[in-house]
Amino acid sequence: MRDQLKTEAEQPPAVPGQRGRLPARPDEPVRAVTPAPAPAPAPAKPPTARPDRAGAADGAADGAADGVADGAADGVADRLAYLDAATRRINSALDLAATLRNIGRVLVPTLADAAVVHLRDPLPNVEREPGFPEELRIHHSTGTRIGRRGRKSGADDRHRSRFGSRSTADTGPATPVTRGGALAHILLSRRPAESAVLGTPAAERTESLLREVYGTRGLARLAAGTSVVALPLRGRKAVLGLLVLIRRPPERTGRPAFDAADTATAAHLATQAGLAVDTALRYAREWEIANELQRSMLPLRLPQSHGVRIAQRYLPGERGAQVGGDWYDAVPLPGNRVALIVGDVMGHSLTSAAIMGQLRTSAQTLAALDLPPHEVLYHLDEQAQRLGREQHLATCVYAVYDPIANRVVLANAGHVPPVLVRPDGRAELVELDSGAPIGVGGVDFNSVELPAPPGSSLLLFTDGLVETRTRPLSDGLEVLRARIAAARWQSPEQLCQEALRILPPGDRGDDIALLGACFDGIPAGDVAHWYLQPRNETPGRARRLAAHTLRRWGLDELSEATELMVSELVTNAVQHATRPVTLSLVRTTRLRCEVGDDSPLLPRPRRTGPEDERGRGLQIVARCADRWGATRLGTGKVVWFEQRLPGGT
């Protein structure tokens, strides 16, 4: 239905009594023309005493009456055609600014010489009763500068509503609505609309209204003989604003004042305009809620693992596109590795954002199990099929970077390929088996392992970056690759910024998620790793290996506490392991120790009594370490702790 509403309606024809052509394009204004006078009926000849002449006279009078009736019927048909086209044009957009522009275009110059739209300030929440309007502000004007103030060069005439919708607002001040005043009377009145000609006794109430809204100086800018119609703009639950239509004096334009038919036409269009503004405000609120939901489910900050620098960007699509399902994430893994994820749920709706949140949570859980990338995508595919009876498709790239081995493993599920930048600056699209989107079911995914030496970078992104209305996907990928290769950047933030420079000016039809990672690696001299057999003497050997490594690194101050914690963790691992136990020490800005075994049981701290001989190991680790934790893996678990280096923070 949204696509139907966005279709441009044909330009309204001229109001009856006006001659002019229809515009060739929807955005082309209708020419203001002088109304053609209605044909006067031919006078009937008076009847004579002769019977034959009397019959002839009666026939002539009947023919003249038929001509008048045909002309009136044509005028009604033209007016109805105008109302139909104008109504469709007013309701053809969901954005507030576009709706106000359409209101001005269908009214000026076809029905009026000028039109001014005032809306409540601030824009109300139309889903509830907003109460009495306190202030109005000009949001759009066509054909007049009444009510405007002088503006400075380069001044921004736009302001943001409480729901984030932006409209072309005038720089005039807000108009307070005084209870009992002429403005309040018009806004709250249910009487039929009336027109008035300024300078006549019948225009006293209209002149009072204009003076209240535009001030004495604004009223003085309207010459005597100007015809004015002021109409309330009513939404579904409350009045939203005021519409003022102006026709200049007939001696200046050749157009007569508003008559009863013109006023009735204006009242009908004001009703349609009020409902259209109400719809635009409702859509703006829904879009803001959906966008807030989307952003709330994306991580505010990504973890910065040692050996890799990460940056992210998220740009929502244009308002007409609704919210999408793009997401990004980074998950720390044992061994100082990190999982990098970018995905895109197909479709643009609140449902897409909700599905995105569920898939992102599932991806985090699967990543924490330290499964291979293709296994993660396989389980995500299963999860997507369980989300409901309808298929929820999504694309995703999942990568795992190992800063110690200087390798990156990637798997793709129907997503656009990432860009890998070599240390010498060469950029290339990673050739991956694209696979099928998540949610199709019964599809195999494959992992590809690539070298990622220090100085290389990886850019993951969604198709909104490279595919636009005017640029196909293949061209966009090449433009991005060339841009990244030619630009000079030093950080992941600059990498993302350079990638965004390929976007053409104007609104985006899709949201964009970017994840940039610069691989620095961890030198081999700062890593120590051992496989230890699960024997009784293994804890003692682990203490000696840790002490020797710390002396080599010049960290003797940490030796005593580290030996004690290593002994406790290895002792616990030996008791449950059936395969070799792993011990790792990594020196970065902190000292990290990891002990792994093949038992899936995670250790938990527990209270111990005075006579208990076991259960104090984790209490010792928690007391001596700055941070510690346990992670369950696909083949067991890893228990780790970290300590600050001497002199570090």
XYZ file of all heavy atoms in Angstrom, residues 378-458:
603
model
N 25.195 -22.181 9.598
C 24.265 -23.315 9.528
C 23.239 -23.238 10.659
O 22.032 -23.412 10.443
C 25.040 -24.634 9.586
C 24.155 -25.852 9.663
C 23.548 -26.373 8.522
C 23.917 -26.482 10.884
C 22.723 -27.490 8.599
C 23.106 -27.596 10.968
C 22.507 -28.099 9.820
O 21.691 -29.198 9.907
N 23.702 -22.961 11.878
C 22.776 -22.883 13.005
C 21.911 -21.623 12.928
O 20.754 -21.635 13.376
C 23.551 -22.925 14.320
C 24.167 -24.265 14.600
N 23.424 -25.393 14.862
C 25.470 -24.661 14.646
C 24.228 -26.425 15.069
N 25.481 -26.006 14.939
N 22.439 -20.539 12.386
C 21.610 -19.357 12.166
C 20.489 -19.659 11.176
O 19.358 -19.175 11.325
C 22.461 -18.194 11.647
C 23.253 -17.396 12.671
C 24.048 -16.305 11.962
C 22.323 -16.774 13.704
N 20.811 -20.451 10.158
C 19.798 -20.841 9.181
C 18.683 -21.642 9.851
O 17.497 -21.433 9.585
C 20.455 -21.649 8.068
C 19.473 -22.083 7.006
O 18.899 -21.217 6.328
O 19.263 -23.305 6.851
N 19.057 -22.532 10.737
C 18.043 -23.292 11.471
C 17.203 -22.382 12.356
O 15.978 -22.534 12.450
C 18.716 -24.367 12.323
C 19.300 -25.534 11.540
C 19.814 -26.614 12.459
O 20.357 -26.254 13.534
O 19.667 -27.805 12.143
N 17.851 -21.437 13.000
C 17.120 -20.530 13.884
C 16.138 -19.676 13.098
O 15.002 -19.450 13.541
C 18.110 -19.637 14.639
C 17.471 -18.569 15.508
C 16.682 -19.144 16.658
O 16.865 -20.303 17.014
N 15.806 -18.348 17.244
N 16.536 -19.204 11.928
C 15.647 -18.375 11.108
C 14.405 -19.141 10.699
O 13.314 -18.565 10.608
C 16.396 -17.862 9.876
N 14.531 -20.420 10.446
C 13.373 -21.221 10.058
C 12.439 -21.473 11.232
O 11.258 -21.769 11.034
C 13.842 -22.555 9.478
C 14.641 -22.416 8.190
C 15.117 -23.763 7.681
O 14.331 -24.605 7.281
N 16.428 -23.968 7.703
N 12.929 -21.325 12.456
C 12.079 -21.544 13.620
C 11.396 -20.268 14.100
O 10.606 -20.309 15.045
C 12.908 -22.121 14.772
C 13.340 -23.556 14.572
C 13.874 -24.147 15.858
N 15.099 -23.495 16.284
C 16.325 -23.950 16.022
N 16.476 -25.064 15.310
N 17.384 -23.308 16.448
N 11.692 -19.137 13.471
C 11.139 -17.876 13.943
C 9.664 -17.712 13.637
O 9.013 -16.837 14.188
C 11.929 -16.699 13.341
C 13.355 -16.549 13.861
C 14.046 -15.396 13.186
C 13.353 -16.362 15.367
N 9.120 -18.495 12.722
C 7.700 -18.382 12.406
C 7.371 -19.197 11.191
O 8.233 -19.789 10.537
N 6.082 -19.196 10.873
C 5.647 -19.957 9.710
C 6.143 -19.313 8.421
O 6.419 -19.986 7.451
C 4.120 -20.058 9.708
C 3.575 -20.996 10.779
C 2.073 -21.034 10.757
N 1.505 -19.742 11.130
C 0.201 -19.500 11.189
N -0.663 -20.450 10.895
N -0.255 -18.317 11.542
N 6.222 -17.976 8.402
C 6.745 -17.312 7.215
C 8.263 -17.405 7.216
O 8.915 -17.398 8.257
C 6.312 -15.850 7.195
C 4.811 -15.662 7.107
C 4.449 -14.191 7.046
O 5.381 -13.374 7.096
O 3.260 -13.877 6.955
N 8.840 -17.471 6.042
C 10.290 -17.514 5.927
C 10.858 -16.113 6.117
O 10.403 -15.160 5.500
C 10.706 -18.058 4.559
C 10.571 -19.571 4.436
C 11.209 -20.079 3.170
O 11.357 -19.356 2.205
N 11.587 -21.331 3.171
N 11.824 -15.998 6.971
C 12.497 -14.735 7.215
C 13.925 -14.878 6.691
O 14.760 -15.530 7.318
C 12.491 -14.388 8.698
C 11.108 -14.287 9.278
N 10.256 -13.247 8.981
C 10.437 -15.103 10.114
C 9.116 -13.425 9.628
N 9.209 -14.546 10.323
N 14.194 -14.301 5.554
C 15.494 -14.449 4.909
C 16.431 -13.340 5.359
O 16.016 -12.199 5.601
C 15.339 -14.418 3.385
C 14.411 -15.485 2.776
C 14.393 -15.355 1.271
C 14.847 -16.875 3.196
N 17.695 -13.683 5.439
C 18.724 -12.713 5.808
C 20.027 -13.132 5.158
O 20.264 -14.316 4.906
C 18.888 -12.633 7.330
N 20.868 -12.151 4.878
C 22.214 -12.418 4.381
C 23.207 -12.080 5.484
O 22.927 -11.260 6.363
C 22.515 -11.591 3.118
O 22.469 -10.186 3.448
C 21.495 -11.890 2.031
N 24.379 -12.711 5.438
C 25.334 -12.523 6.529
C 26.732 -12.927 6.074
O 26.892 -13.875 5.303
C 24.911 -13.349 7.749
S 26.008 -13.206 9.180
N 27.729 -12.192 6.543
C 29.132 -12.575 6.436
C 29.679 -12.710 7.851
O 29.509 -11.804 8.675
C 29.950 -11.558 5.638
C 31.443 -11.830 5.789
C 29.585 -11.601 4.164
N 30.307 -13.852 8.121
C 30.856 -14.133 9.449
C 32.351 -14.406 9.275
O 32.745 -15.283 8.500
C 30.154 -15.343 10.056
C 30.547 -15.658 11.479
C 29.811 -15.168 12.544
C 31.651 -16.458 11.763
C 30.153 -15.464 13.851
C 32.014 -16.752 13.058
C 31.261 -16.256 14.106
O 31.619 -16.547 15.392
N 33.177 -13.658 10.007
C 34.633 -13.793 9.895
C 35.235 -13.913 11.297
O 34.748 -13.296 12.245
C 35.236 -12.599 9.167
N 36.301 -14.688 11.415
C 37.040 -14.842 12.667
C 38.501 -14.512 12.393
O 39.143 -15.145 11.538
C 36.914 -16.270 13.234
C 37.809 -16.429 14.458
C 35.468 -16.578 13.585
N 39.006 -13.509 13.110
C 40.398 -13.087 12.943
C 41.228 -13.580 14.115
O 40.861 -13.410 15.283
C 40.474 -11.566 12.846
C 41.880 -11.031 12.920
C 42.822 -11.330 11.929
C 42.279 -10.229 13.985
C 44.117 -10.847 12.003
C 43.568 -9.728 14.061
C 44.486 -10.055 13.073
O 45.774 -9.576 13.142
N 42.368 -14.185 13.786
C 43.311 -14.681 14.788
C 44.565 -13.820 14.720
O 45.357 -13.921 13.764
C 43.656 -16.142 14.507
C 44.482 -16.771 15.624
O 45.117 -16.025 16.391
O 44.488 -18.010 15.727
N 44.790 -12.928 15.717
C 45.952 -12.031 15.640
C 47.273 -12.732 15.920
O 48.342 -12.169 15.637
C 45.646 -10.992 16.724
C 44.818 -11.727 17.720
C 43.994 -12.700 16.929
N 47.219 -13.926 16.469
C 48.457 -14.665 16.738
C 48.902 -15.426 15.496
O 50.068 -15.387 15.100
C 48.254 -15.610 17.935
C 47.932 -14.791 19.196
C 49.499 -16.474 18.145
C 47.620 -15.641 20.407
N 47.959 -16.114 14.860
C 48.278 -16.843 13.631
C 48.249 -15.943 12.407
O 48.686 -16.357 11.326
C 47.291 -17.989 13.439
N 47.740 -14.705 12.549
C 47.624 -13.764 11.421
C 46.831 -14.393 10.270
O 47.237 -14.352 9.109
C 49.000 -13.310 10.930
C 49.737 -12.469 11.964
O 49.140 -11.625 12.630
N 51.028 -12.725 12.123
N 45.683 -14.946 10.626
C 44.794 -15.550 9.644
C 43.368 -15.070 9.904
O 43.009 -14.706 11.031
C 44.828 -17.083 9.725
C 46.204 -17.712 9.695
C 46.815 -17.686 8.330
N 46.119 -18.566 7.388
C 46.490 -18.722 6.117
N 47.510 -18.030 5.639
N 45.831 -19.538 5.318
N 42.548 -15.086 8.863
C 41.142 -14.759 8.980
C 40.347 -15.836 8.246
O 40.708 -16.235 7.139
C 40.816 -13.356 8.433
C 41.171 -13.226 6.970
C 39.345 -13.012 8.658
N 39.311 -16.340 8.888
C 38.448 -17.375 8.323
C 37.067 -16.755 8.102
O 36.499 -16.155 9.028
C 38.351 -18.598 9.246
C 37.505 -19.684 8.600
C 39.741 -19.128 9.576
N 36.526 -16.896 6.881
C 35.270 -16.257 6.531
C 34.288 -17.265 5.953
O 34.696 -18.249 5.322
C 35.477 -15.126 5.503
C 36.490 -14.037 5.825
C 37.811 -14.351 5.135
C 35.980 -12.680 5.368
N 33.000 -16.985 6.148
C 31.919 -17.739 5.512
C 30.827 -16.749 5.129
O 30.611 -15.747 5.819
C 31.372 -18.819 6.442
N 30.150 -17.054 4.028
C 29.177 -16.117 3.471
C 27.839 -16.813 3.273
O 27.776 -17.968 2.842
C 29.682 -15.567 2.128
C 28.815 -14.438 1.602
O 27.890 -13.984 2.266
N 29.111 -13.986 0.403
N 26.751 -16.089 3.584
C 25.391 -16.591 3.355
C 24.640 -15.577 2.500
O 23.863 -14.765 3.009
C 24.668 -16.819 4.675
N 24.915 -15.589 1.202
C 24.195 -14.741 0.263
C 24.469 -13.265 0.387
O 23.699 -12.443 -0.133
N 25.544 -12.859 1.053
C 25.839 -11.456 1.309
C 26.815 -10.917 0.273
O 27.485 -11.681 -0.436
C 26.426 -11.304 2.714
C 26.289 -9.938 3.294
N 25.116 -9.472 3.820
C 27.190 -8.927 3.415
C 25.296 -8.242 4.264
N 26.547 -7.891 4.028
N 26.911 -9.581 0.196
C 27.902 -8.965 -0.684
C 29.299 -9.270 -0.142
O 29.502 -9.331 1.078
C 27.679 -7.445 -0.779
C 26.440 -7.130 -1.585
C 27.582 -6.813 0.603
N 30.283 -9.488 -1.008
C 31.618 -9.871 -0.530
C 32.309 -8.719 0.188
O 32.152 -7.554 -0.190
C 32.358 -10.244 -1.825
C 31.656 -9.470 -2.894
C 30.223 -9.401 -2.481
N 33.096 -9.017 1.231
C 33.857 -7.961 1.905
C 35.073 -7.550 1.089
O 35.453 -8.214 0.113
C 34.265 -8.621 3.225
C 34.301 -10.083 2.918
C 33.247 -10.324 1.881
N 35.679 -6.454 1.498
C 36.888 -5.944 0.853
C 38.063 -6.189 1.790
O 38.041 -5.769 2.952
C 36.770 -4.447 0.532
C 38.073 -3.915 -0.046
C 35.622 -4.202 -0.452
N 39.094 -6.884 1.283
C 40.315 -7.147 2.040
C 41.422 -6.261 1.494
O 41.677 -6.255 0.286
C 40.712 -8.621 1.931
C 41.985 -9.042 2.676
C 41.822 -8.857 4.183
C 42.336 -10.494 2.356
N 42.050 -5.502 2.376
C 43.118 -4.583 1.992
C 44.441 -5.174 2.447
O 44.630 -5.475 3.630
C 42.907 -3.189 2.608
C 43.971 -2.219 2.109
C 41.515 -2.662 2.274
N 45.365 -5.332 1.508
C 46.682 -5.878 1.818
C 47.566 -4.809 2.471
O 47.292 -3.613 2.361
C 47.345 -6.389 0.536
C 46.549 -7.473 -0.188
C 46.434 -8.727 0.639
N 45.726 -9.803 -0.086
C 45.480 -10.991 0.424
N 45.891 -11.270 1.658
N 44.823 -11.910 -0.282
N 48.660 -5.238 3.120
C 49.548 -4.245 3.743
C 50.122 -3.236 2.760
O 50.436 -2.106 3.154
C 50.652 -5.117 4.365
C 49.997 -6.439 4.615
C 49.040 -6.622 3.488
N 50.271 -3.614 1.469
C 50.800 -2.677 0.489
C 49.732 -1.757 -0.086
O 50.021 -0.964 -0.986
C 51.491 -3.432 -0.657
C 50.542 -4.406 -1.358
O 49.356 -4.458 -0.983
O 51.006 -5.115 -2.275
N 48.494 -1.824 0.403
C 47.434 -0.937 -0.052
C 46.533 -1.518 -1.109
O 45.511 -0.904 -1.452
N 46.861 -2.676 -1.666
C 45.995 -3.289 -2.672
C 44.691 -3.741 -2.013
O 44.708 -4.361 -0.959
C 46.689 -4.472 -3.324
C 47.853 -4.111 -4.232
C 48.445 -5.337 -4.906
N 49.033 -6.258 -3.928
C 48.545 -7.461 -3.664
N 47.469 -7.902 -4.307
N 49.137 -8.248 -2.770
N 43.585 -3.443 -2.674
C 42.260 -3.819 -2.172
C 41.622 -4.791 -3.150
O 41.698 -4.614 -4.367
C 41.377 -2.588 -2.000
N 40.993 -5.811 -2.599
C 40.359 -6.809 -3.442
C 39.087 -7.316 -2.782
O 38.972 -7.340 -1.555
C 41.307 -7.978 -3.700
C 41.753 -8.687 -2.431
C 42.815 -9.740 -2.686
O 43.738 -9.455 -3.471
O 42.712 -10.831 -2.085
N 38.118 -7.674 -3.609
C 36.903 -8.294 -3.110
C 37.190 -9.758 -2.798
O 37.731 -10.481 -3.634
C 35.786 -8.182 -4.148
C 35.328 -6.759 -4.492
C 34.378 -6.786 -5.683
C 34.667 -6.102 -3.294
N 36.866 -10.183 -1.592
C 37.164 -11.544 -1.174
C 36.250 -12.509 -1.931
O 35.024 -12.376 -1.911
C 36.969 -11.711 0.341
C 37.286 -13.136 0.761
C 37.854 -10.725 1.093
N 36.861 -13.461 -2.615
C 36.084 -14.441 -3.371
C 35.598 -15.536 -2.421
O 36.359 -16.373 -1.973
C 36.941 -15.045 -4.490
C 37.360 -14.040 -5.552
C 38.125 -14.698 -6.683
O 38.301 -15.928 -6.624
O 38.553 -13.983 -7.605
N 34.304 -15.477 -2.124
C 33.681 -16.448 -1.239
C 32.532 -17.122 -1.965
O 31.904 -16.539 -2.855
C 33.139 -15.765 0.027
C 34.150 -15.076 0.941
C 33.416 -14.332 2.042
C 35.109 -16.082 1.541
N 32.269 -18.345 -1.576
C 31.068 -19.009 -2.045
C 29.885 -18.272 -1.442
O 29.676 -18.296 -0.224
C 31.084 -20.472 -1.611
C 29.878 -21.247 -2.151
O 29.068 -20.640 -2.875
O 29.760 -22.444 -1.841
N 29.106 -17.587 -2.289
C 28.054 -16.721 -1.764
C 27.008 -17.486 -0.978
O 26.413 -16.967 -0.039
C 27.380 -15.949 -2.904
O 26.789 -16.845 -3.825
N 26.779 -18.743 -1.332
C 25.798 -19.525 -0.603
C 24.395 -18.968 -0.766
O 24.130 -18.070 -1.569
N 23.476 -19.478 0.007
C 22.087 -19.021 -0.012
C 21.820 -18.207 1.243
O 22.494 -18.351 2.263
C 21.137 -20.213 -0.093
N 20.841 -17.324 1.198
C 20.523 -16.536 2.393
C 20.100 -17.411 3.562
O 19.596 -18.526 3.394
C 19.375 -15.628 1.922
C 19.504 -15.566 0.442
C 20.053 -16.895 0.029
N 20.291 -16.905 4.738
C 19.845 -17.577 5.949
C 18.318 -17.630 5.945
O 17.655 -16.639 5.698
C 20.361 -16.828 7.186
C 21.885 -16.927 7.253
C 19.736 -17.358 8.457
C 22.497 -16.042 8.312
N 17.782 -18.800 6.225
C 16.348 -18.979 6.226
C 15.840 -19.831 5.089
O 14.691 -20.281 5.120
N 16.690 -20.063 4.062
C 16.280 -20.912 2.941
C 16.173 -22.355 3.399
O 15.225 -23.069 3.072
C 17.256 -20.757 1.765
C 16.950 -21.770 0.671
C 17.189 -19.343 1.210
N 17.150 -22.823 4.159
C 17.127 -24.179 4.683
C 17.764 -25.192 3.754
O 17.665 -25.088 2.530
N 18.443 -26.178 4.328
C 19.030 -27.264 3.552
C 20.196 -26.853 2.684
O 20.453 -27.489 1.660
N 20.918 -25.798 3.047
C 22.031 -25.295 2.234
C 23.324 -25.459 3.018
O 23.383 -25.169 4.221
C 21.813 -23.819 1.854
C 22.978 -23.302 1.035
C 20.501 -23.656 1.088
N 24.364 -25.907 2.334
C 25.682 -26.030 2.952
C 26.428 -24.705 2.851
O 26.337 -23.996 1.850
C 26.494 -27.129 2.277
C 25.915 -28.513 2.535
O 25.289 -28.691 3.588
O 26.092 -29.396 1.668
N 27.185 -24.390 3.891
C 28.026 -23.201 3.900
C 29.477 -23.645 4.015
O 29.791 -24.643 4.662
C 27.656 -22.285 5.066
C 26.228 -21.816 5.039
C 25.260 -22.448 5.815
C 25.842 -20.762 4.234
C 23.947 -22.027 5.802
C 24.531 -20.334 4.200
C 23.579 -20.964 4.983
N 30.361 -22.861 3.412
C 31.779 -23.191 3.388
C 32.594 -22.065 3.997
O 32.251 -20.888 3.851
C 32.255 -23.444 1.949
C 31.524 -24.597 1.303
O 31.325 -25.642 1.916
N 31.114 -24.419 0.052
N 33.678 -22.441 4.663
C 34.605 -21.467 5.238
C 35.848 -21.373 4.376
O 36.314 -22.371 3.806
C 35.001 -21.860 6.669
O 33.888 -21.815 7.539
N 36.395 -20.162 4.280
C 37.620 -19.895 3.530
C 38.611 -19.230 4.472
O 38.275 -18.258 5.158
C 37.338 -18.992 2.310
C 38.643 -18.622 1.614
C 36.393 -19.693 1.340
N 39.849 -19.754 4.512
C 40.892 -19.190 5.367
C 41.882 -18.421 4.509
O 42.370 -18.917 3.493
C 41.598 -20.291 6.145
C 42.632 -19.762 7.133
C 43.217 -20.867 8.001
O 42.754 -22.025 7.875
O 44.127 -20.576 8.796
N 42.182 -17.182 4.933
C 43.071 -16.308 4.173
C 44.134 -15.737 5.102
O 43.895 -15.539 6.301
C 42.282 -15.148 3.545
C 41.160 -15.513 2.564
C 40.398 -14.264 2.174
C 41.726 -16.204 1.340
N 45.320 -15.450 4.573
C 46.334 -14.775 5.388
C 45.925 -13.338 5.671
O 45.372 -12.652 4.806
C 47.591 -14.851 4.515
C 47.071 -14.994 3.116
C 45.807 -15.766 3.217
N 46.189 -12.885 6.885
C 45.884 -11.509 7.284
C 47.060 -10.971 8.081
O 46.988 -10.803 9.305
C 44.603 -11.462 8.106
N 48.175 -10.673 7.402
C 49.364 -10.190 8.109
C 49.124 -8.815 8.712
O 48.190 -8.101 8.321
C 50.427 -10.147 7.002
C 49.652 -10.007 5.737
C 48.381 -10.755 5.955
N 49.963 -8.431 9.686
C 49.821 -7.094 10.264
C 49.875 -6.020 9.178
O 50.691 -6.084 8.258
C 51.004 -6.997 11.221
C 51.304 -8.421 11.591
C 51.019 -9.224 10.364
N 48.985 -5.035 9.296
C 48.891 -3.988 8.293
C 47.757 -4.182 7.310
O 47.434 -3.268 6.550
N 47.144 -5.342 7.307
C 45.998 -5.579 6.434
C 44.711 -5.165 7.147
O 44.677 -4.980 8.362
C 45.935 -7.042 6.000
O 45.889 -7.892 7.128
N 43.625 -5.026 6.362
C 42.345 -4.571 6.898
C 41.212 -5.309 6.193
O 41.384 -5.834 5.085
C 42.170 -3.054 6.725
O 43.214 -2.339 7.354
N 40.066 -5.317 6.841
C 38.880 -5.965 6.288
C 37.691 -5.037 6.486
O 37.494 -4.494 7.580
C 38.620 -7.303 6.982
C 37.485 -8.153 6.421
C 37.847 -8.680 5.028
C 37.169 -9.319 7.354
